[in-house]
Structure formats: C-alpha cells, structure tokens
C-alpha cells in the first residue's frame, strides 16, 4: 500500500492546483533502485529530494496505460537510495476537462466546482492496481467546501481561505476530491457522521437525507456489521450524476430531488460501502457486489413492504425480455452494466442467486454468512470463489455445484408442467405431474416451491420440490380436495419466464431481436417528423435492429415480431384497439379511459401494450402524442418505464401521471385441478423480510 500525506491548494477560478506531498512507498520499493510514476501532463514537478526525470519514450506497459487514459499523462523516473521510504514532491498546474457527450469528465477544476479522481491522475500513481491510504489537507477559497473519502479531522477558516483535512487510513483504489460552494449539514448517527452538502440552502431536504442516512446505517449495522467508514455524505454535484464513492455519493441537483431516490438509489449507494467499497471485488472473476447490493437494498426495501415477489417477477421479466441467447453470458464475465441485457444478468441473476442461497440456508444462516464474509474480507479483494467459501463454511455444506451452475454457465432453466392428474385415495389426494426443464443447456438442480389450494381451506398447502432432471416426475399428497396448483408463484427460482407469466410490457419492445415501428403516413407533417425522430433516436440508442416503415407500405402486421404502432391516425390503430379488449381500457374517438379516468388525445401522451393477436410471444404497442412539443421528451422517457403495460403522460416535458401493468390471467404455471370452483388468487402470506427497517 502507498500512503500519501499531502496538501492540495485549489484555485478554482484559474483551474489550478498545487500539491506538496510526502509519499510513503511500500516495502518492495524501498530496496533502492528505479521507480516510475505517472501524473497528468498538465502538472509540472517543481521540486523533490531526489532527481525526477521525465521519460519521453515509454515502454509498452506504460504505453498501454497512456492509451487507455482519458487524460494526457507524463511519466517520470526516480532513483531511490537504499532504505529510502519516502518520496517528497511538489507539483502544480492546470486541470480542466469539459463534460463529454456521455456527461462525464475525467477531472475538472472550475469556478463552478472541482472533481478530481484517479481518472484525473492528479496524484502520482506507481502501478495501475495499487491501493492507497491518505491524509489530505485541502486549501480552498473562503466559502468553499471539499469532500473526500474517510473522516473530516480538521476544518479551519482563516481570512481568505478554508483548510480541511480528510483522512482515510484503510486501503482505497482512488483519492477523490470534490469541491464547490456548499450549505453543509451534519449529524452524529449510528456511530458515524451523516453529512449533507447542498449547493443551495434547503433545510427540509437536508433533514430528510440525514434522517434516512441514520436509518439505513442502522439497518446495515444490524444486518451485516459495523459500517466501514467514519461518515456518509450526500454531496450535490455541479453537473447531473448518480455516482457512488466510498463514504459519499455524488448526485446531481435533479436526481437529489426526485422523490423516489431516497428509497431506491440512496440506500443502494450506502450499501456499496459494504459490498464494493468495503469488501472489494475481484473483477477478473466476475462482479458479485452489484447483485448482492441490489438484493440487500432494492429488493429488501420492497420485501419490507410485502412486495418481494413482485420485485422478483420484474427481475425475471427483464431477463426473459432482454436477454436472448446471443446476449447472455456467465456471471464470471460481468463487470458493470452498459445495457438492459447486462443489467438483467449482472444485477438480476446475481440477486436471484443470493435469494436462492438464502432460501436454501434459511434466514439465520444466510445472515451469519453475510456477516462472516464482511468481517473476514473487509478492505480486501474477494472473488465469487471467496463468497462461495464463506457461505459453504457457514452452511456446513459444499455449495460448489450450486455456484458452478449459476456463476460459470450462461442461461437459465425454463420450466413447464405436463400431464397433471389427481388420484383420490381414501381420504387423501395424490397430484401427479411432470416438471420439465426445457432450456437447451443441461438440467439444473433446483428447489421449486409448489402451492396447492384446497377446497374449504383458507391456507394453501405449500412445499418445495428438489428437481435435478430434465423430466422429473412429481407427486404431492394432500388431505383435502385440491382446486388449483401454482409452481413457483412467488418467483423464488431464477428462470426464464413463459410469456404467459409476464404482462405485455415495454421491455418486450426494447428486447425484441427485430422490432418493427410503423409510422402514420396520414399524420400532420410536423408531428410525423417528430415521430420519425423518435424512431431514429431509439434506433441509435436502444434498438439498432429497429425497422421503420410507413403504415401505407404495409397491408398487414407481421406476426413474428413485436411492433410499435405510432400515432392516433395510424391505419393499424384498430388492430391494437381490438387486442386491448382483454384489458381494463376503453378507447373512444378522441380519448381513452384507463384506471377509471378519461384522458383526451390532445393533451396526453399515451402508450398501451397488448399481446400480438397472432402470436402470444410477441407484443403490440400503440403510442400517441398529439402534443408535438412533447414527443422528444416522450421518446427519451419511455425506455425508463420498461416493466409497464400502459402509461399516460401530460405537459410538454411530458410528465408521467399514470403507469401500470396488466393483470396476468393465463399463466402456464397455474394448473386448474377443479374447474367447478372459483379459482383462488395467489395469496400465500408474503415471507417475512430478511431484516426490518429500524425506527
Ligand atoms: Zn450498484
């Protein structure tokens, strides 16, 4: 580990920094001899206790570093005397990189704010994968604040400047400095300091975040172990971001004020201090931390509200709609998400792996294993194999086969039920059926929950069947006449869902291999132009294989693809309207009625989806937005509503006012055993959440 003791002076107006640093080198470097480091080439070394030489032609290893760097780098060489442990350096210069088209910068010092990180190469880096600890004094103009990892040890204001000292003794892979003019709030909570740094005064917002921080820290202190840092800070950034760093999160002004963030991304970012920034990820063998974080933040919060099964259905829906064979990959290859498909695998499949592990081990053992993993691996790198080892040790059984099938191979089981019969035997009933795994890959070993609803009995009979073959005969004996049977109704198994288990939803339109979009030739010219732009934007950003066509070039809708039908004046509008007859919506001449409310076509952007009448595996979408000004916003927003079947927006932005999923009524995982009796809804009591939300 390399330790930096540095003083950083920032001049935001001039985009300048100056650093005086004493670097303590790891033992291997102190045997004497040559060492090399790189720095941003906008920075000039001014002095050192040894001779610092700039290297002009770098060796191939350094050239690779230079080629992948987002900033220009200069390479240096120093020769250390035997037993020399410190390198002292003074350097200064300018750093200013504007945001790129993905809204990112490798580093910037400006009058608006400062962002410095490993990507900036603002401090000497000796090897690409080195870990660092630091004591950092930041000197800023008066009225400014700065945040880094770790603990705020000093905060001194003099006439013209402010000096803050941030200290992080634990190994880190980055040294961040984020600065701007802030209104600062803080509160002691759960043994740490909760901080909120806002660019404009907003006491109510700060209060909300401080309180939430306290609650989440308490939740995870109880569930996993003591939070690994001295503070957690919510920092408002000077451009729109949603970054999570060790011990702070950097969110844009708009994101911070979205009402759902405090219950979704915010706890997720806090939990990354345990998984990712507490226990580090061995990316070369697959990123397990995203899925575990999603499971213990996003999923847990839904589970606490009795929505766990719904949430998991959404996860499986994403996988089933977005990940076809060509887009699938094993978890060992996941590093970070860059599409809906990589998210569905990297987050979704991993999340389900931990869910299945929990059901297999029981809640208590599962929690013990989380605690052991955290305690033993904190501030060191862990691979999937290390995770497997910790869980196996607590489970008291070898989980190798379990991890192998979910981590090392791509794909998912696809279950079907066949040949169901009921035998009456005296006072008991025996249900026999064939549970088949129809995926192309080999059979999985699965624990499949089965729920049987009984005549005159409130509580259904529940059991779990261990499945390990492709064609498994299952027999279940119950002591009352069975009415219906559900296989995996709470979506506890990671599997590819049948289209009958999923409502028609936008995800099918964005996940289809070769979707079609039909423009209304007879539409008002300006509006048609805006619709065409919408289609081209989707083609560019989400759907490279989207085919765009006019309704007058088509005599009938093809049955082998999902189809976007655009505009109120579209020739194929009637086809969609008749497919919508199975759902709770009424389409009239100038408006629609959905959720008992009437929405006229002039002021509302609408989207409805329905099963393709000729192919239940494909989906039809009808979207219309008569307010031409709102079409670009509509185009941008729709992909974010992937799991929904219908949507209503209003205004020029436009803003969403109605969203929903159609009910699923024909799931092939439901078997009716007695047609004469009213069929039950899946109503088994939701599982108790893994951990409750503290007061
Ligand atoms: Zn994450």
């Amino acid at each position: 580990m390399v330790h930096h003791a540095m003083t950083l002076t920032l001049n935001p107006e001039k985009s300048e920094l100056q650093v005086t640093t004493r670097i303590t080198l790891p033992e291997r470097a102190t045997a004497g001899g040559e060492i090399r480091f790189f720095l941003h080439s906008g920075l000039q070394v001014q002095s050192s206790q040894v001779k610092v030489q700039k290297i002009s032609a770098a060796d191939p290893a350094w050239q690779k570093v230079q080629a992948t760097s987002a900033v220009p780098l200069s390479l240096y060489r120093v020769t250390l005397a035997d037993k020399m442990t410190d390198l002292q350096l003074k350097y200064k210069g300018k750093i200013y990189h504007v945001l790129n088209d993905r809204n990112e910068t490798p580093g910037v010092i400006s009058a608006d704010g400062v962002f410095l990180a490993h990507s900036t190469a603002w401090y000497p880096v000796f090897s690409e994968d080195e870990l660092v600890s630091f004591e950092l004094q930041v000197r800023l103009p008066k009225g400014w604040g700065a945040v880094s990892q770790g603990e705020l040890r000093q905060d001194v204001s003099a006439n013209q400047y402010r000096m803050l000292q941030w200290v992080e003794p634990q190994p880190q892979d980055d040294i961040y400095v984020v600065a701007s003019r802030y209104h600062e709030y803080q509160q002691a909570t759960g043994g740490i300091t909760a901080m909120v740094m806002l660019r404009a005064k907003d006491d109510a917002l700060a209060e909300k975040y401080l309180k939430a921080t306290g609650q989440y820290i308490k939740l995870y202190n109880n569930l996993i172990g003591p939070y690994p840092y001295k503070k957690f800070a919510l920092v408002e950034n000077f451009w729109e971001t949603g970054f999570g760093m060790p011990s702070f999160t950097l969110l844009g002004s708009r994101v911070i004020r979205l009402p759902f963030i405090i219950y979704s991304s915010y706890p997720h970012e806090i939990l990354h201090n345990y998984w990712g920034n507490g226990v580090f990820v061995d990316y070369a063998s697959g990123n397990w931390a995203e899925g575990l974080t999603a499971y213990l933040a996003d999923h847990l919060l839904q589970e606490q509200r009795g929505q766990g099964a719904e949430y998991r259905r959404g996860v499986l829906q994403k996988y089933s709609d977005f990940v076809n064979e060509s887009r699938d990959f094993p978890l060992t290859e996941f590093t970070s998400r860059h599409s809906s498909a990589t998210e569905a695998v990297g987050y979704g499949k991993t999340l389900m792996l931990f869910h299945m592990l929990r059901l297999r081990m029981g809640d208590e053992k599962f929690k013990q294993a989380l605690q052991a993993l955290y305690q033993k691996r904190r501030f060191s790198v862990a691979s999937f194999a290390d995770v497997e080892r910790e869980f196996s040790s607590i489970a008291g059984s070898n989980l190798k086969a379990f991890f192998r099938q979910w981590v090392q191979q791509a794909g998912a089981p696809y279950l079907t039920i066949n040949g169901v019969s009921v035998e009456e035997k005296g006072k008991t009933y025996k249900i026999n059926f064939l549970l088949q795994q129809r995926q192309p890959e080999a059979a999985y070993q699965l624990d499949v929950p089965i729920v049987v609803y009984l005549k005159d009995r409130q509580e259904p009979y529940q059991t779990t069947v261990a499945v390990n073959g492709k064609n498994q005969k299952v027999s279940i004996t119950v002591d009352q006449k069975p009415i219906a049977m559900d296989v995996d109704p709470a979506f506890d198994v990671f599997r590819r869902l049948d289209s009958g288990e999923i409502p028609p939803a936008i995800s099918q339109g964005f996940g289809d291999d070769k979707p079609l979009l039909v423009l209304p030739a007879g539409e008002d010219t300006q509006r048609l132009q805006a619709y065409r732009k919408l289609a081209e934007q989707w083609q560019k950003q989400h759907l490279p294989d989207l085919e765009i066509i006019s309704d007058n070039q088509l005599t009938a809708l093809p049955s082998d693809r999902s189809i976007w039908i655009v505009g109120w004046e579209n020739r194929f509008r009637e086809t969609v309207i008749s497919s919508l007859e199975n759902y709770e919506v009424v389409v009239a001449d100038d408006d629609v009625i959905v959720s008992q409310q009437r929405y006229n076509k002039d002021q509302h952007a609408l989207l409805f989806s329905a099963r393709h009448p000729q192919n239940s595996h494909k989906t039809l979408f009808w979207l219309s937005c008569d307010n031409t000004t709102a079409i670009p916003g509509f185009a941008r927003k729709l992909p974010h509503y992937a799991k929904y079947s219908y949507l209503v927006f209003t205004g020029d932005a436009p803003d969403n006012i109605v969203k929903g999923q159609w009910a699923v009524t024909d799931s092939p995982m439901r078997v009716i055993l007695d047609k004469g009796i009213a069929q039950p809804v899946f109503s088994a009591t939701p599982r108790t959440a893994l951990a409750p939300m503290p007061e």
Side-chain angles (χ1 to χ4, degrees):
M1 192 161 70
V2 176
H3 183 77
H4 296 258
M6 50 167 85
T7 301
L8 162 69
T9 306
L10 288 166
N11 186 338
E13 296 288 340
K14 290 186 169 168
S15 299
E16 282 178 358
L17 66 73
Q18 180 171 21
V19 173
T20 312
T21 182
R22 174 190 288 268
I23 302 163
T24 311
L25 298 161
E27 261 170 53
R28 60 179 158 76
T30 61
E34 183 185 296
I35 56 167
R36 294 176 175 199
F37 64 85
F38 64 79
L39 260 184
H40 192 292
S41 62
L43 303 173
Q44 289 85 40
V45 176
Q46 295 180 294
S47 66
S48 172
Q49 91 278 33
V50 289
K51 195 171 164 212
V52 179
Q53 280 181 295
K54 215 177 201 171
I55 304 173
S56 46
D59 56 56
W62 286 112
Q63 281 174 358
K64 212 177 114 198
V65 174
Q66 269 183 313
T68 53
S69 171
V71 300
L73 298 175
S74 295
L75 308 168
Y76 299 89
R77 156 167 85 201
V78 294
T79 305
L80 298 180
D82 195 22
K83 300 222 170 63
M84 201 171 130
T85 54
D86 284 358
L87 176 64
Q88 292 161 39
L89 281 178
K90 195 169 165 185
Y91 57 90
K92 69 183 244 182
K94 268 189 202 281
I95 287 176
Y96 189 91
H97 298 277
V98 291
L99 293 178
N100 66 16
D101 53 3
R102 290 192 308 277
N103 214 23
E104 292 162 350
T105 169
V108 61
I109 301 173
S110 73
D112 227 12
V114 174
F115 176 82
L116 299 173
H118 183 86
S119 57
T120 323
W122 72 274
Y123 58 91
V125 175
F126 298 87
S127 80
E128 262 303 79
D129 53 356
E130 79 194 4
L131 293 174
V132 297
S133 58
F134 61 86
E135 294 154 59
L136 167 71
Q137 308 230 28
V138 191
R139 218 172 118 135
L140 295 148
K142 207 173 167 184
W144 279 65
V147 65
S148 184
Q149 295 111 297
E151 181 183 14
L152 180 61
R153 287 265 177 90
Q154 269 187 55
D155 183 352
V156 186
S157 289
N159 292 339
Q160 289 309 311
Y161 67 89
R162 182 177 178 198
M163 205 276 296
L164 298 156
Q165 189 192 33
W166 288 98
V167 177
E168 181 48 64
Q170 301 288 355
Q172 301 287 302
D173 58 6
D174 205 322
I175 306 175
Y176 292 101
V177 177
V178 175
S180 191
R181 297 172 186 274
Y182 301 114
H183 293 260
E184 298 174 12
Y185 304 83
Q186 67 174 57
Q187 198 171 74
T189 185
I192 67 146
T193 306
M195 304 176 95
V196 172
M197 301 166 83
L198 300 176
R199 299 187 76 223
K201 188 173 156 65
D202 190 339
D203 298 352
L205 186 70
E207 182 54 39
K208 248 172 57 179
Y209 274 104
L210 287 175
K211 190 173 165 236
T213 310
Q215 257 187 331
Y216 295 133
I217 296 284
K218 228 182 190 175
L219 169 68
Y220 296 126
N221 277 345
N222 294 340
L223 178 63
I224 307 164
Y227 174 80
Y229 291 94
K230 299 278 192 203
K231 66 120 185 348
F232 186 80
L234 166 76
V235 184
E236 181 171 354
N237 202 6
F238 53 101
W239 81 91
E240 279 305 325
T241 50
F243 295 157
M245 277 80 164
S247 80
F248 69 101
T249 179
L250 195 55
L251 303 180
S253 309
R254 200 177 56 82
V255 178
I256 280 187
R257 288 165 181 86
L258 292 173
F260 52 86
I261 289 294
I262 201 161
Y263 311 107
S264 54
S265 328
Y266 194 62
H268 183 106
E269 293 310 337
I270 289 180
L271 185 57
H272 266 311
N273 288 290
Y274 289 80
W275 313 124
N277 294 326
V279 182
F280 305 140
V281 174
D282 173 18
Y283 287 95
S285 65
N287 179 356
W288 50 270
E290 274 308 340
L292 183 55
T293 302
Y295 187 57
L296 299 175
D298 311 56
H299 179 271
L300 177 57
L301 264 69
Q302 292 303 313
E303 193 179 41
Q304 287 170 341
R305 293 174 198 157
Q307 300 287 309
E310 269 245 304
Y311 184 89
R312 292 188 295 277
R313 186 182 79 169
V315 167
L316 300 186
Q317 177 183 333
K318 251 189 206 161
Y319 177 80
S320 307
D321 284 344
F322 285 119
V323 186
N324 57 27
E325 228 170 287
S326 67
R327 294 189 191 136
D328 210 345
F329 57 91
L331 295 183
T332 47
E333 284 169 25
F334 176 67
T335 51
S336 67
R337 73 173 148 193
H338 45 80
S339 65
S340 301
T342 48
E343 181 186 323
V345 176
Y347 287 60
K349 187 177 187 179
T350 315
L351 176 156
M352 289 301 295
L353 172 150
F354 284 106
H355 181 67
M356 291 183 288
L357 201 50
R358 167 192 172 189
L359 298 189
R360 196 183 160 121
M361 294 173 73
D363 284 12
E364 283 319 305
K365 288 241 156 131
F366 181 73
K367 284 191 249 185
Q368 276 175 35
L370 291 174
Q371 291 160 7
L373 175 67
Y374 178 61
Q375 203 199 338
K376 287 194 193 155
R377 304 280 168 167
R378 187 156 44 156
F379 296 118
S380 59
V381 175
S383 63
F384 259 118
D386 296 322
V387 174
E388 177 201 317
R389 208 163 297 134
E390 296 304 340
F391 277 81
S392 290
S393 138
I394 300 290
S397 65
N398 190 334
L399 295 169
K400 224 177 191 69
F402 176 89
F403 273 84
R404 191 187 309 121
Q405 74 178 5
W406 297 117
V407 174
Q408 287 174 21
Q409 71 190 51
Y414 172 57
L415 300 180
T416 60
I417 312 162
N418 290 292
V420 185
S421 67
V422 180
E423 274 176 75
E424 195 174 340
K425 273 189 176 174
K427 283 187 175 168
T428 64
Y429 298 81
K430 196 167 166 195
I431 309 162
N432 301 306
F433 61 97
L434 193 63
L435 192 55
Q436 292 184 301
Q437 297 190 37
R438 305 277 289 271
Q439 72 279 1
E441 313 89 67
Y444 285 78
Q445 290 184 18
L446 304 169
D447 296 327
V448 181
I450 312 267
V451 178
V452 182
Y453 303 89
L454 306 170
K455 196 182 170 205
D456 302 327
R457 196 73 64 79
Q458 195 66 28
E459 273 297 300
Y461 173 81
Q462 301 194 50
T463 185
T464 300
V465 181
V467 177
N468 43 42
K470 280 220 158 174
N471 298 291
Q472 183 143 340
K473 283 184 186 156
V474 181
S475 292
I476 293 169
T477 304
V478 290
D479 61 0
Q480 175 66 283
K481 194 171 178 5
I483 308 165
M485 177 179 78
D486 283 337
V487 173
D488 192 27
F491 305 94
D492 289 319
V493 178
F494 182 72
R495 57 191 175 88
R496 186 170 287 283
L497 299 181
D498 186 273
S499 57
E501 291 181 86
I502 310 173
I506 292 178
S507 46
Q508 289 125 37
F510 284 104
D512 197 272
D513 277 342
K514 205 165 169 19
L516 180 67
L517 185 141
V518 186
L519 288 170
E523 188 61 87
D524 159 89
T525 327
Q526 230 184 333
R527 197 176 294 140
L528 176 59
Q529 199 50 33
Y531 281 145
R532 187 176 294 279
K533 273 204 176 139
L534 168 149
E536 287 165 358
Q537 189 186 329
W538 284 0
Q539 207 174 35
K540 205 170 131 204
Q541 293 180 344
H542 309 281
L543 293 166
D545 297 320
L546 178 70
E547 186 187 349
I548 304 168
I549 200 169
S550 275
D551 58 356
N552 57 7
Q553 296 172 280
L554 211 58
T555 47
L557 295 176
S559 64
D560 58 346
R561 33 210 307 210
S562 289
I563 305 169
W564 299 90
I565 293 160
V566 178
W568 199 275
E569 300 304 326
N570 200 299
R571 277 177 58 187
F572 294 98
R573 180 168 75 110
E574 288 305 324
T575 315
V576 197
I577 294 174
S578 60
S579 330
L580 282 168
E581 272 165 13
N582 300 328
Y583 310 108
E584 299 281 308
V585 56
V586 179
V587 183
D589 283 346
D590 296 305
D591 53 22
V592 297
I593 301 169
V594 65
S595 304
Q596 281 112 42
Q597 288 281 330
R598 195 178 278 275
Y599 300 97
N600 64 35
K601 75 180 180 77
D602 302 342
Q603 284 157 22
H604 297 97
L606 306 166
L607 177 121
F608 293 97
S609 51
R611 291 267 167 249
H612 195 303
Q614 279 115 44
N615 180 352
S616 65
H617 297 295
K618 296 291 170 187
T619 308
L620 296 185
F621 304 93
W622 175 41
L623 61 98
S624 93
C625 186
D626 271 15
N627 173 5
T628 306
T629 323
I631 294 177
F634 195 39
R636 202 178 56 247
K637 290 187 173 190
L638 272 182
H640 296 291
Y641 291 83
K643 68 174 182 185
Y644 294 103
S645 309
Y646 59 91
L647 297 162
V648 180
F649 291 77
T650 187
D652 291 346
D655 298 306
N656 177 259
I657 46 171
V658 178
K659 55 178 191 249
Q661 294 171 297
W662 302 131
V664 170
T665 48
D666 52 356
S667 166
M669 292 290 117
R670 153 70 54 100
V671 182
I672 309 297
L673 301 170
D674 186 342
K675 293 198 170 62
I677 295 178
Q679 296 305 313
V681 248
F682 170 64
S683 64
T685 336
R687 191 176 289 120
T688 310
L690 186 65
M693 186 61 89
E695 286 304 304

